[in-house]
Amino acid sequence: MKRLTMLFGLALIAVFVVGAVGSPAAFAGSGEGNARVLVQFVPGKKAAVQGALSSAGGETHFEFDALQTIAVTVPEAALAGLERNPNIVMIEEDALRYPVGINKSAYQAEGQTVPYGVDMVQARDVWDVNRDGTIDAGAPTGDNRTVCIIDSGFFTGHEDLAGVNVSGYDGNLPWDQDYSGHGTHVAGTIAAMNNTLGVVGVTPGTVNVYAVRVFGDDGAWAYSSTLIDAANRCEAAGANIISMSLSGGRPNNTERRGFDTLYANGILSVAAASNDGTTDLAYPASYDSVVSVGAIDSAKVVADFSNQNVQVELAAPGVGVLSTVPYLDATSLTVDGVTYAANHIEFSGRGATTEALVDGGLCLTTGAWAGQVVLCERGDISFYDKVMNVQNSGGTAAVIYNNEPGNFLGTLGDGASSAIIGISLSQEDGQFLVTNSLGHDGLVESYYTEQVSSYEYYDGTSMATPHVAAVAALVWSADITATNTQVRDALATTAEDLGAAGRDVAYGFGLVQAADAIAALGGGGGGGDDIAMHVEAMNGTVTSSNRRFWKASASVQIFDVDGAAVSGATVSGDWSYGGSASCVTDSTGWCTVKSDKIYDFSPVTFTVSGVTAAGYYYDAAANVVTLVTIPNP
C-alpha cells in the first residue's frame, strides 16, 4: 500500500479552541465533501498527476516543484482513487497554521522607552555600549541583513517604523496594512527606530525587512502550504532570517522538507514554541531545521503559557513586551482628577459617560442603578451576565474589578454585545474606589481608533520569537561571511543558561545573548581560519527488496572551497518517509546513509540538512545538490 497520511480535524494553538481528530467531513477550511491536501508526485510525473487531480475536480492552490508537491482541494470521494495512482508518492493534510495568541494591555506613550527585552538580549551592548542613546560608530546593527516577517502585515504608517527599509508581498491581503496588530507588534520588536518616540527595536531601525502577509485582520488561519509559499518568497527576496510568530498542532512532511531545504540553502528560520502551556510540539518550530523559541518574563522565569518540550532551543522575553501597534485602544476611568488604567471588555459598547459611582457587589442580579456607573467585583457569573445586569438596570457603564491582584482581559463572548460600556480594573483600584469614592462622578471612556501609531504590551511566544530573529540579524551582521549554522551555533553556545543546568525543555539552551554570540563567532570570515565546505554530489540506490518492504541508501560527497574532498565531515539529513540519518565522510569526501525498512513502495528522497567538520564551516549557498531521489524497486 502507498503511504496515505490523512489527519483530518483541528488542533488549534494558544487561545483557540482545541478539536479532536475526526472524519473527513469534519475537515476545516474546505467546502462540504472536500479536503485540502498536499500531493507529492514522483519526479518527472507532475503533468500526469496534474491531469489526475483535474479529472478528480481538484482546485490547485500552490505548486512546489522543488518539493515535487501540489497543494490542492479535491473531493473526499476522490482520495481513494488518487491514493492508488502510481505517480503519487504521498497525500497528506494541508495543516492549519495560526498566529500565536496573545494577551495585551494598554500603554501611554511618553517619549522613547527601551523595552526591557532589548537590554535582556544584550542588544544595546552591541550598538550603544555607553548608553548615550545614539548608535555607536561602526557597531553591528543588522543593516546588512534581511529579516522576513511572515504574519498579519506591517503598518508602514506607524511613526516608529517610518524609517525602516521594508518591502513585502501581498498574500491574502496587502502586506503594508495590518488591522490585527500582531505583525506590526512583531515588527516593532525587531526594527523600531531609535528616535524620541515610543520604543526602540533590537535592531534600531537598521535591519532590512521583508513582510509576507498570510493572516487576516481577524487572525484568520492559513495553511501549511501557504506558509511554505511565504517562506519561499522570503528566500526569493533575499532574506537571511525568517521570523514566524505562528504555529499549528500537526507536523507536515512537505512543510518539514520545505524548511529543511531553506536551511540547506543558508536561511535561518525562527518560530514560536506556542502558548498552550503544555509539552506538546508545535510546528514549524519543532522541525529540526527551525529554531523553536520559548517565552520568559522580566525576571527570566519561563512563562506559564510557554510550551515546554525537547525542541525548545532558545528563550527570549515574551511577557509584557512593549511594541508598536496600528491602533489606539484607549480605555480609562477618571474619578476626582485621578485616571485609573483600564481594559475594555471585549464586545461591550464604546464611548464615554460621566455618572456617579455605585457599588453593585458581584452584580449577580439587577439593582437600583439607573443613571449610574456600577462597580462590580469579578466572580460567580460571567462578564456578559454582569454587564447585562447593569444594562438592564439602567446603568450607563459596568466597571468590573478583579478578585485577585492586578487587572485582567475580559470578553462578553463571541456573538455577544452590549449597548453600555464595559471595562475592567485592577483589584487594588476597584477596592479603593468602593471604599473611598462611592457617589463621586466617574468618567468612563473607551475608544478604538484604527491605522494610527500606538503601543501596547503583549504576552506570548509570538513576542519572544522576533527577539531571537533580530538578535540573529545583529550577530550575523557582525560577520556576513558566517553561515546560518554558525550563527545558530553561536546563539546556542552563548545563551545564558536558565533553569536546569544545560539544555532543558523550558528554556532550551537559555536566554539569547547578542554581544556574547558576536564574541563567540569571532567576526572572522565564517569562522576565523575555517574553510568553507559544501555538498558536491549525491547519488542513491535500492539496496534490498522483497514483497513486504525495501531498503535504500544515499551517498553524499563533501568538497571544500578549493574543490578538495573533505574527510571526517558529519553529514546529517532526512528521509522523505520520516526517518533521519547521518554519516562521516572518508578520504574521498563520500559517505553513505542507509534507510530503515520502507513499507511504502514509492520513490523516496534523502535531503541533506547539515554538515559539520573541525576546521570547516558549512556554506550551504555553495551546494551543488541537496537531495537525491531513489526510485521504488
Side-chain angles (χ1 to χ4, degrees):
M1 288 291 292
K2 198 178 303 296
R3 181 182 180 194
L4 178 63
T5 307
M6 295 302 299
L7 299 175
F8 294 102
L10 297 179
L12 312 191
I13 289 297
V15 297
F16 300 94
V17 179
V18 177
V21 174
S23 65
F27 182 65
S30 64
E32 184 67 27
N34 292 330
R36 180 156 168 161
V37 295
L38 291 160
V39 179
Q40 183 181 351
F41 53 83
V42 173
K45 299 297 183 181
K46 177 182 177 180
V49 171
Q50 285 178 315
L53 294 174
S54 179
S55 297
E59 177 190 357
T60 297
H61 305 292
F62 299 103
E63 297 177 6
F64 304 114
D65 290 346
L67 304 176
Q68 296 93 43
T69 299
I70 300 171
V72 61
T73 294
V74 295
E76 292 163 4
L79 290 173
L82 292 170
E83 189 269 335
R84 293 190 293 269
N85 189 315
N87 296 315
I88 292 178
V89 176
M90 181 177 65
I91 302 174
E92 62 180 343
E93 178 192 11
D94 195 354
L96 297 173
R97 297 292 179 255
Y98 293 83
V100 177
I102 55 172
N103 289 322
K104 56 188 179 181
S105 57
Y107 166 75
Q108 185 66 40
E110 295 180 2
Q112 178 171 278
T113 297
V114 178
Y116 78 90
V118 170
D119 285 340
M120 188 177 282
V121 301
Q122 296 184 330
R124 288 199 295 172
D125 291 338
V126 174
W127 48 262
D128 185 13
V129 177
N130 62 2
R131 299 296 193 272
D132 65 355
T134 61
I135 298 172
D136 300 338
T141 62
D143 62 311
N144 51 31
R145 300 290 86 183
T146 297
V147 176
C148 186
I149 302 172
I150 301 176
D151 214 294
S152 65
F154 184 115
F155 177 45
T156 54
H158 199 288
E159 62 185 9
D160 225 354
L161 298 172
V164 175
N165 182 21
V166 59
S167 57
Y169 171 76
D170 298 339
N172 57 329
L173 291 166
W175 69 267
D176 56 356
Q177 298 177 10
D178 180 16
Y179 287 84
S180 158
H182 194 271
T184 301
H185 197 278
V186 166
T189 294
I190 292 173
M193 299 293 294
N194 183 39
N195 50 28
T196 60
L197 303 170
V199 295
V200 63
V202 172
T203 64
T206 48
V207 75
N208 302 308
V209 175
Y210 191 76
V212 179
R213 184 162 183 178
V214 296
F215 297 126
D217 294 328
D218 58 355
W221 38 259
Y223 291 95
S224 54
S225 61
T226 316
L227 181 56
I228 297 167
D229 178 69
N232 288 343
R233 293 184 185 280
C234 293
E235 179 182 29
N240 309 104
I241 300 151
I242 300 176
S243 181
M244 297 172 287
S245 294
L246 52 87
S247 67
R250 298 188 187 281
N252 181 289
N253 184 66
T254 303
E255 186 178 67
R256 177 188 59 77
R257 290 191 296 123
F259 282 105
D260 286 353
T261 300
L262 291 169
Y263 191 57
N265 290 346
I267 293 174
L268 185 62
S269 299
V270 184
S274 207
N275 293 3
D276 289 330
T278 69
T279 58
D280 292 344
L281 297 175
Y283 301 91
S286 292
Y287 299 128
D288 289 342
S289 55
V290 178
V291 177
S292 177
V293 182
I296 59 175
D297 62 20
S298 59
K300 301 181 182 178
V301 176
V302 65
D304 58 4
F305 56 75
S306 185
N307 282 25
Q308 301 184 28
N309 54 60
V310 295
Q311 288 296 123
V312 173
E313 186 166 334
L314 292 169
V319 178
V321 175
L322 182 62
S323 189
T324 50
V325 292
Y327 58 81
L328 177 61
D329 190 346
T331 299
S332 64
L333 169 64
T334 302
V335 182
D336 297 331
V338 177
T339 298
Y340 299 89
N343 294 322
H344 177 251
I345 301 294
E346 187 181 28
F347 304 125
S348 70
R350 294 277 190 172
T353 182
T354 303
E355 303 291 348
L357 297 179
V358 63
D359 182 12
L362 287 165
C363 295
L364 301 179
T365 63
T366 57
W369 305 327
Q372 299 180 88
V373 171
V374 185
L375 295 165
C376 305
E377 184 178 8
R378 182 182 184 181
D380 289 9
I381 61 174
S382 70
F383 300 132
Y384 174 79
D385 289 335
K386 290 179 186 291
V387 173
M388 293 311 295
N389 283 339
V390 174
Q391 178 172 303
N392 292 335
S393 301
T396 62
V399 178
I400 304 175
Y401 61 93
N402 210 351
N403 54 5
E404 60 182 22
N407 205 338
F408 64 92
L409 294 173
T411 180
L412 299 186
D414 289 336
S417 64
S418 69
I420 66 170
I421 306 167
I423 69 172
S424 69
L425 289 183
S426 68
Q427 181 184 52
E428 299 85 346
D429 290 343
Q431 290 178 345
F432 175 85
L433 292 170
V434 168
T435 302
N436 299 283
S437 303
L438 296 182
H440 298 204
D441 282 348
L443 169 60
V444 179
E445 296 180 284
S446 185
Y447 297 101
Y448 187 85
T449 307
E450 295 181 312
Q451 300 303 280
V452 296
S453 299
S454 190
Y455 306 84
E456 280 202 353
Y457 295 98
Y458 280 11
D459 299 341
T461 52
S462 275
M463 286 54 261
T465 299
H467 280 92
V468 172
V471 166
L474 272 186
V475 173
W476 211 338
S477 71
D479 181 4
I480 61 173
T481 67
T483 67
N484 59 337
T485 56
Q486 287 179 307
V487 172
R488 185 178 186 177
D489 288 345
L491 298 181
T493 57
T494 61
E496 180 183 344
D497 193 13
L498 302 173
R503 185 174 186 176
D504 60 71
V505 298
Y507 304 94
F509 291 106
L511 170 62
V512 66
Q513 300 284 270
D516 292 346
I518 288 174
L521 197 60
D529 296 328
D530 289 354
I531 302 170
M533 61 178 175
H534 63 270
V535 179
E536 177 68 20
M538 297 180 68
N539 60 54
T541 187
V542 176
T543 58
S544 65
S545 175
N546 58 41
R547 293 183 178 180
R548 295 188 303 111
F549 63 83
W550 61 293
K551 294 183 178 181
S553 67
S555 297
V556 184
Q557 188 178 38
I558 307 300
F559 275 10
D560 66 19
V561 68
D562 297 319
V566 178
S567 63
T570 300
V571 179
S572 302
D574 300 290
W575 292 99
S576 58
Y577 64 78
S580 59
S582 62
C583 60
V584 178
T585 58
D586 60 19
S587 60
T588 66
W590 284 98
C591 70
T592 300
V593 295
K594 298 180 179 180
S595 73
D596 296 326
K597 293 178 180 179
I598 306 171
Y599 296 95
D600 175 5
F601 279 83
S602 303
V604 299
T605 60
F606 181 78
T607 303
V608 174
S609 60
V611 184
T612 59
Y616 295 85
Y617 70 93
Y618 179 39
D619 184 6
N623 286 342
V624 176
V625 62
T626 57
L627 64 85
V628 62
T629 300
I630 300 95
N632 55 308

